[in-house]
Amino acid sequence: MKKCIPRTSDRIITVLAAVVCAVAAFFACRELLCGGQPPTVFFAMTLLFGGVAIHTIWRMIYMGNWGFFYDDEKIIFALSRKDYRDFRWDELQNAKTNIFYPSSPAAWYFYFQDEKKTKKIAVTPRLAGYNEFVDMLRKKGFPAQSPGTLNFDKNTAKDIFHEVFGEDFGKGSKNGSK
């Protein structure tokens, strides 16, 4: 099976951010208990950084190896460590209007309705295996586009610049030279 999952570097950065928040919470708590400073700020910092660290670590453990696992016959949406949905490609074509929503040319979401809430999983260019996944989606008839296919209209940018600044591109500067 091929996979489209978060990059290892993104996972490492997330772990480092959780560690930095935990260390900041530790020092704020230490200053709160042992320091002679006003306790309100350090109490708030302890709660803030401790909460961020605990939430990040919990989400990493709960989510596990989320992503997309696929081959020519089926696709598996791993929403978390315990929750995954598998579809045959032809079943997914029939359910396309219910779970597939393109949000931009380079990123889109798959939505899954449960009894209590809607769960979603995002496809973005930052995922490892993104290009192969996009190729497979195109092969199976989904409207997947590569990043960078956004059309940038230079005339629209000039109109916006003129409307905001009241002048054209390259017609002088702030120091008065024209």
Side-chain angles (χ1 to χ4, degrees), residues 69-166:
F69 302 90
Y70 60 95
D71 59 13
D72 285 333
E73 296 178 14
K74 69 178 181 175
I75 181 170
I76 299 172
F77 299 94
L79 303 171
S80 68
R81 188 176 298 277
K82 295 179 181 179
D83 187 10
Y84 66 92
R85 317 288 169 94
D86 57 340
F87 294 93
R88 296 181 49 80
W89 284 106
D90 55 351
E91 292 174 346
L92 192 60
Q93 275 293 348
N94 296 335
K96 181 166 52 172
T97 58
N98 296 334
I99 65 170
F100 184 75
Y101 177 72
S103 60
S104 74
W108 56 90
Y109 293 94
F110 289 94
Y111 290 95
F112 301 94
Q113 186 65 39
D114 281 347
E115 298 84 31
K116 295 181 181 179
K117 64 180 182 174
T118 301
K119 295 182 180 184
K120 67 181 176 178
I121 185 168
V123 179
T124 63
R126 291 213 36 97
L127 296 174
Y130 173 79
N131 291 329
E132 295 84 12
F133 187 65
V134 168
D135 291 341
M136 180 60 84
L137 286 175
R138 278 193 207 127
K139 180 180 168 186
K140 297 299 181 179
F142 286 90
Q145 297 178 4
S146 297
T149 57
L150 287 172
N151 294 327
F152 179 73
D153 186 14
K154 196 171 187 178
N155 291 328
T156 304
K158 284 182 181 180
D159 293 341
I160 292 171
F161 185 86
H162 180 70
E163 188 175 318
V164 171
F165 296 107

Side-chain angles (χ1 to χ4, degrees), residues 53-66:
I54 290 170
H55 176 73
T56 303
I57 291 169
W58 169 251
R59 290 291 293 178
M60 287 173 27
I61 292 170
Y62 174 74
M63 292 295 288
N65 195 18
W66 68 272

Side-chain angles (χ1 to χ4, degrees), residues 11-47:
R11 292 173 189 232
I12 291 170
I13 290 170
T14 304
V15 168
L16 290 176
V19 168
V20 167
C21 286
V23 168
F26 170 76
F27 283 121
C29 184
R30 191 180 112 221
E31 189 65 29
L32 173 69
L33 297 175
C34 301
Q37 302 293 327
T40 307
V41 172
F42 292 103
F43 180 70
M45 286 176 54
T46 301
L47 288 178

